[in-house]
Amino acid sequence: MHRIPTSDFSPGKVLARSVYTPSGELLLPEGTRLTERLRPVLTEWGVTEICVEDERSGHTKAAAVPKGTAGPEPVRLAYSRAVSLVAKGMGELRQGRPVSWRRLGEESGELAMTVAFEPGILEYLHRLHCGEDYTFEHSVKVGVLAALLAKWLGLAFTDQVEVAVAAVLHDAGKALVPPEILSKPGRLTPEEFEAAKAHSTAGYDLLAAEYGPDALPPRVALEHHERMDGRGYPRGLQGREALLASRIVAVADVYDAMTSDRVYQRGQPEYAVLAHLRESGFSQLDPRVTRAFVERLVYRTLGRLVRLSNGQLGRVVLVNAQEPGRPIVAVGNSLIDLRQHRDLSLVG
Ligand SMILES: [Fe+2]
Ligand SMILES: [Fe+2]
């Protein structure tokens, strides 16, 4: 670790110590990978010095993320290999051929773990693409996010791996849902909606046949659309009746579905999705899981250009994990704290 003037940092460096505002609020947590977007934020708060990891340390060994592409090549390869395994398995099932879910889960889960523990992955996970159908790429991204969540929640490494495997397989049952329903732009008819929802029980049946009825992968396939208020499906479980792994996958699943660009709709802004998750943590999703998730991801919104509901453009200069949709925004020479200005909101 060494101390450098803020003006000297190069993108890709990792903070060895958290950075605070002059009034003592957390600005950037330790472990944040610095990007050009964060430079004006540090300047704005008059931060003159920062502590960064040494080149020798694990954090800085990884290649910097090349501009315009998503992630270092080994990460892109691991990601696309995992996606193609899922695509192949689900494709074979659609053609009525047998699939070894255990092998598929082990291989793609291990690859998802490799991607998950790459330093700085959260900076570009949403930009990793390999041209496959949304369902296959989504499966692997949920695997990556669920592995990270399991780690943040303090689960043992072997449990993290099990969660990653179950997460990659969570939508296996979609192989039995007609593709035209899965990719239909716009609203589904009630019948189509029921057919889409059947993927959770279909996934359970497929995975239970190989893993046994109580194993993690079939349980997660069955339970990842359950909600704590009992309004989920298929069984309307309440509270913590669903396994922790299922509650972890539920958060990762909602986040990826809401942030991803689809054929028929653009992904929603990060702050809006995190605000939604935080809200859902009071009713539908596990509050401990959503809190861990939002606290780790909210810093991704720092430094972003945003538009306020009064039309002004500004830059996010301080985030707030309690209300991810209400950061402090620098507009011209003034700072607007959206927690104080409840009449204003972010609109894009
Ligand atoms: Fe699902
Ligand atoms: Fe999903």
Side-chain angles (χ1 to χ4, degrees):
M1 174 179 88
H2 62 288
R3 192 175 286 274
I4 56 168
T6 305
S7 53
D8 283 2
F9 88 71
S10 47
K13 291 273 184 202
V14 173
L15 282 179
R17 293 252 173 87
S18 298
V19 176
Y20 295 86
T21 66
S23 57
E25 286 178 274
L26 179 63
L27 183 60
L28 281 172
E30 175 189 329
T32 301
R33 184 170 286 268
L34 295 167
T35 60
E36 276 304 334
R37 188 159 51 77
L38 296 175
R39 199 182 292 281
V41 176
L42 292 164
T43 316
E44 187 79 40
W45 288 105
V47 177
T48 53
E49 281 191 334
I50 50 175
C51 283
V52 294
E53 300 271 6
D54 294 327
E55 292 296 335
R56 287 188 306 279
S57 75
H59 270 313
T60 42
K61 267 186 204 158
V65 179
K67 238 192 159 109
T69 60
E73 199 179 354
V75 180
R76 292 204 305 271
L77 285 176
Y79 171 77
S80 48
R81 172 95 185 109
V83 174
S84 55
L85 282 169
V86 175
K88 187 163 169 271
M90 289 174 74
E92 283 181 348
L93 189 85
R94 275 182 189 152
Q95 289 165 8
R97 290 208 284 269
V99 177
S100 168
W101 295 105
R102 190 183 285 276
R103 224 174 89 201
L104 194 165
E106 265 169 28
E107 284 180 15
S108 52
E110 196 177 305
L111 289 163
M113 290 290 284
T114 308
V115 175
F117 297 121
E118 187 65 25
I121 181 65
L122 291 176
E123 280 301 317
Y124 57 86
L125 177 64
H126 62 292
R127 285 188 288 119
L128 278 176
H129 292 293
C130 59
E132 282 285 2
D133 275 7
Y134 164 77
T135 302
F136 311 141
E137 301 218 22
H138 164 76
S139 297
V140 174
K141 287 185 181 169
V142 171
V144 172
L145 291 166
L148 285 167
L149 257 170
K151 183 180 168 216
W152 297 334
L153 291 166
L155 271 65
F157 183 75
T158 48
D159 295 332
Q160 295 171 24
V161 178
E162 283 197 23
V163 169
V165 169
V168 168
L169 298 175
H170 79 285
D171 274 339
K174 285 194 175 170
L176 298 175
V177 177
E180 57 277 15
I181 292 184
L182 293 178
S183 58
K184 182 182 171 181
R187 237 174 220 293
L188 299 179
T189 65
E191 296 74 31
E192 288 168 337
F193 191 49
E194 286 307 311
K197 277 164 63 176
H199 79 278
S200 51
T201 42
Y204 175 82
D205 292 341
L206 287 173
L207 299 172
E210 196 170 333
Y211 281 95
D214 297 320
L216 211 57
R219 289 283 301 273
V220 168
L222 184 66
E223 295 174 352
H224 69 276
H225 289 288
E226 297 289 0
R227 294 294 179 260
M228 298 199 55
D229 59 5
R231 296 191 182 182
Y233 65 86
R235 292 184 290 169
L237 298 182
Q238 293 195 347
R240 297 200 162 82
E241 288 176 334
L243 294 179
L244 174 62
S246 305
R247 287 179 269 132
I248 287 175
V249 170
V251 171
D253 186 38
V254 171
Y255 173 82
D256 185 63
M258 289 181 77
T259 50
S260 296
D261 286 337
R262 312 280 276 272
V263 185
Y264 48 87
Q265 71 179 36
R266 280 188 66 77
Q268 297 185 42
E270 180 90 9
Y271 69 83
V273 176
L274 294 178
H276 170 82
L277 285 177
R278 178 81 199 168
E279 274 301 301
S280 304
F282 295 110
S283 55
Q284 302 206 313
L285 298 167
D286 185 313
R288 191 166 73 94
V289 179
T290 45
R291 207 180 316 121
F293 193 78
V294 171
E295 278 172 4
R296 297 291 180 138
L297 272 94
V298 73
Y299 297 98
R300 282 184 19 85
T301 60
L302 200 57
R304 281 185 201 271
L305 288 173
V306 287
R307 186 178 293 281
L308 299 176
S309 50
N310 63 4
Q312 287 179 307
L313 272 178
R315 185 182 293 279
V316 174
V317 292
L318 190 70
V319 294
N320 160 16
Q322 277 71 46
E323 288 190 86
R326 301 206 152 269
I328 295 182
V329 179
V331 177
N333 289 327
S334 54
L335 292 178
I336 299 178
D337 185 345
L338 292 179
R339 277 176 300 181
Q340 313 293 332
H341 292 267
R342 311 298 296 193
D343 53 318
L344 290 176
S345 58
L346 300 178
V347 292

